[in-house]
Amino acid sequence: MDKMVVMGNGPLNGTVAASGAKNAALPLLFSTLLAEGEHVFSNVPKLKDIESTSALLESLGCTTRWDGDKFIVKVSKIDSYEASYDLVRKMRASFLCMGPLLAKYGEAVVSQPGGCAIGSRPIDLHLDGFKALGAEITQKEGYVHAQAKRLKGGNFLFETVTVGGTENVMMAATLAEGRTVLENAAKEPEIVDLADYLIKMGAKITGHGTSVITIDGVEKLKPAAHSVMPDRIEAGTLLIAGAITKGEVTVTKCIPAHLEQLIAKMRESGFKIDTTKDTMTVHKTNSWEAVDITTAPHPLFATDLQAQYMALMTVAEGRCVITETVFENRFMHVQELIRLGADITPKTRVAVVRGKPGQLTGAPVMATDLRASASLVLAGMVASGETVVNRIYHLDRGYEKLEDKLSSLGAKIRRIE
């Protein structure tokens, strides 16, 4: 397995562009199952999760290819309605094929999903949403079987906010007969990006980006072209990289409006951050104060930035409390940060971080999930000596050539086999 070797090397400086958003690209690619023909996407990041999605789509009878910087999915008549365990276990988002398959072909057989072990993330809300649209659901031998001659529009209230559940049921409802109203829907920008593409395909959707989404089903959708939104989590990670190293970094090809909570907390901590419509610049700051955060669904502080923010707080002045409300097992990076010298007391959902500038020292650490791996790279850049981050295949699932981007800013970082 590849490892990342990181050396403390002083401030990062320069300009770096964010890639397309993984969490937007995956549902977009699965939405192609709703319409036969060629779907053309730009700004698709080259990631392990994109490879996994391609493999799953091809197992169903689609073809995928890169054409320069365009990613093309050609959907012909589907050969199979089954997403196997070997493919789905690698990536939780694979379950997003169920809604389109069920809506378009009236049948789907999908393995229970895998992915990062950051929490239980049950699929019950997905299935309850499908049932509300008239689907029959059975589960046996680790697979979920869904059937419906044609889905019927209906009202569905999500018991808790779920991004994947909102995406899956919204896609299914585009071809249902009649009107569907989803209440307590997720409001993440990735939901809006997916809805925008579905509308380009001919879907009738309103309210995306709010807690109530209305979908009027249509008879048929057609392929279209779309540019994937910028990755707000990668952009936030790069902004923190500049901040934690006391550098000056401008992140381009991003949407600062998607990161209002992170920017507000960093400004409260003492950082000067300038923004335009599509850039963010963090200016050199020699010291910063510890500031509490609580993660919550968008538009509040993103759980996917919690680990990176914690790394920033380990070298802040003072103590802060980080509260994780989205996933129950998302502090696995804490013990690895402690190995680097961080002073953190974790509980199940709360961690107390006692920041102190210069307290981190290099050590071998283990990446436990996607965002945890990013936090360890950030910490390694300000730890004295050498930090070796093991199991960085997690990093490759969600960051496109992160080491190259950081190196272009002056980081001393390299990948080894």
Side-chain angles (χ1 to χ4, degrees):
M1 292 184 188
D2 287 4
K3 303 176 182 180
M4 200 80 81
V5 180
V6 188
M7 298 288 292
N9 194 44
L12 300 188
N13 291 287
T15 300
V16 63
S19 299
K22 172 187 87 85
N23 289 340
L26 301 182
L28 285 167
L29 295 183
F30 285 120
S31 76
T32 62
L33 294 168
L34 291 163
E36 294 178 7
E38 281 199 350
H39 302 252
V40 181
F41 298 99
S42 56
N43 205 35
V44 176
K46 294 182 178 179
L47 304 169
K48 288 293 185 184
D49 276 9
I50 299 297
E51 293 178 11
S52 298
T53 301
S54 296
L56 178 49
L57 290 172
E58 290 181 357
S59 77
L60 298 172
C62 305
T63 59
T64 66
R65 73 181 193 275
W66 288 96
D67 182 5
D69 61 352
K70 308 285 188 193
F71 188 80
I72 299 172
V73 181
K74 184 176 181 180
V75 183
S76 303
K77 183 167 176 58
I78 296 299
D79 295 333
S80 167
Y81 309 126
E82 179 175 320
S84 71
Y85 169 74
D86 283 341
L87 294 169
V88 177
R89 69 180 174 83
K90 299 177 183 178
M91 183 183 66
R92 181 173 182 79
S94 300
F95 200 72
L96 293 176
C97 71
M98 176 162 271
L101 286 174
L102 179 60
K104 175 70 173 172
Y105 302 100
E107 182 179 356
V109 181
V110 184
S111 171
Q112 294 272 8
C116 288
I118 57 174
S120 59
R121 299 195 286 183
I123 57 172
D124 295 1
L125 295 177
H126 299 235
L127 304 184
D128 289 344
F130 297 146
K131 289 176 185 176
L133 302 183
E136 295 182 3
I137 306 289
T138 57
Q139 298 186 57
K140 58 183 178 181
E141 298 177 348
Y143 282 78
V144 179
H145 297 241
Q147 286 184 311
K149 285 187 177 179
R150 186 182 180 187
L151 296 174
K152 307 287 186 182
N155 291 2
F156 182 67
L157 171 66
F158 289 101
E159 184 177 334
T160 57
V161 175
T162 163
V163 174
T166 300
E167 292 167 339
N168 224 347
V169 181
M170 180 172 70
M171 286 190 286
T174 59
L175 293 177
E177 182 181 352
R179 171 169 288 186
T180 298
V181 178
L182 304 180
E183 298 179 278
N184 198 30
K187 297 182 267 189
E188 271 69 6
E190 293 80 7
I191 301 283
V192 177
D193 205 38
L194 174 60
D196 286 344
Y197 182 60
L198 294 171
I199 291 169
K200 289 180 182 179
M201 293 169 67
K204 295 181 179 179
I205 303 172
T206 58
H208 42 297
T210 75
S211 60
V212 180
I213 301 175
T214 301
I215 307 107
D216 288 306
V218 298
E219 291 289 334
K220 187 177 181 180
L221 297 173
K222 62 184 186 302
H226 187 72
S227 179
V228 179
M229 63 171 271
D231 194 320
R232 60 194 174 101
I233 306 304
E234 184 197 30
T237 302
L238 293 169
L239 191 74
I240 292 173
I244 197 171
T245 61
K246 302 180 181 179
E248 183 160 321
V249 169
T250 297
V251 184
T252 64
K253 295 185 179 179
C254 64
I255 302 177
H258 291 168
L259 290 162
E260 288 181 348
Q261 284 290 309
L262 173 66
I263 292 170
K265 288 295 183 180
M266 289 179 66
R267 284 173 172 163
E268 185 181 346
S269 183
F271 293 98
K272 181 185 177 185
I273 300 174
D274 294 328
T275 64
T276 68
K277 182 180 178 181
D278 58 3
T279 70
M280 306 182 293
T281 300
V282 60
H283 296 278
K284 177 180 175 61
T285 303
N286 287 321
S287 64
W288 51 94
E289 300 295 322
V291 173
D292 299 347
I293 62 161
T294 298
T295 66
H298 191 79
L300 301 178
F301 199 98
T303 181
D304 279 356
L305 284 168
Q306 177 255 107
Q308 301 92 307
Y309 183 84
M310 184 180 291
L312 181 65
M313 290 298 101
T314 64
V315 288
E317 298 274 3
R319 181 178 67 178
C320 69
V321 176
I322 293 178
T323 305
E324 173 62 54
T325 72
V326 180
F327 295 120
E328 70 273 16
N329 195 26
R330 204 155 202 187
F331 281 152
M332 291 188 291
H333 50 279
V334 169
Q335 294 303 325
E336 302 306 306
L337 289 172
I338 290 172
R339 286 179 55 79
L340 296 176
D343 187 352
I344 308 172
T345 303
K347 299 295 182 184
T348 304
R349 295 277 189 144
V350 174
V352 177
V353 183
R354 300 170 188 86
K356 183 179 179 183
Q359 73 174 333
L360 302 185
T361 56
V365 291
M366 188 76 71
T368 53
D369 61 71
L370 169 56
R371 305 307 172 184
S373 58
S375 76
L376 298 176
V377 171
L378 293 173
M381 290 193 299
V382 293
S384 60
E386 179 180 273
T387 297
V388 179
V389 184
N390 294 277
R391 291 174 62 181
I392 61 162
Y393 62 84
H394 287 294
L395 194 74
D396 295 334
R397 287 188 50 230
Y399 289 94
E400 183 178 13
K401 297 180 179 178
L402 181 63
E403 68 271 26
D404 292 348
K405 293 186 176 185
L406 294 175
S407 294
S408 73
L409 299 172
K412 195 170 183 181
I413 179 172
R414 73 184 192 277
R415 179 187 294 254
I416 59 173
E417 293 184 357

